[in-house]
Amino acid sequence: VEAPAAGLWYPDFTRGSEVTAGQTIGHILDPVDGREHKVTSPATGRVIFGMRGLTVIPGAALAAIAAPAPTDLDAGRHTH
């Protein structure tokens, strides 16, 4: 998960947390204009890395989510 904007990063998770796709995992606050940028998880899984520093720039790694690999059944293919 990458930072969408520069600012101050406030995570709402801890390493090892279970998250779901679309869940808010933190926000970035722009200290200049006070705008808040919500950051959401792109996948359902477990947080295996979380950025704990305060200041971030666009594209900075904020978190890594380990998601289960899709199976053939998940893809709609049946194998025999």
Side-chain angles (χ1 to χ4, degrees):
V1 180
E2 295 182 349
L8 305 175
W9 167 235
Y10 296 97
D12 293 334
F13 63 85
T14 57
R15 192 176 74 226
S17 296
E18 294 287 335
V19 296
T20 57
Q23 177 182 336
T24 299
I25 59 170
H27 65 275
I28 297 172
L29 180 65
D30 185 326
V32 176
D33 64 13
R35 289 179 52 197
E36 185 175 307
H37 304 271
K38 181 171 70 168
V39 179
T40 59
S41 176
T44 296
R46 182 182 304 267
V47 178
I48 59 170
F49 161 80
M51 200 309 218
R52 302 313 294 176
L54 184 59
T55 305
V56 296
I57 60 172
L62 300 177
I65 312 296
T71 65
D72 287 340
L73 293 178
D74 291 337
R77 295 179 299 239
H78 298 278
T79 56
H80 298 282

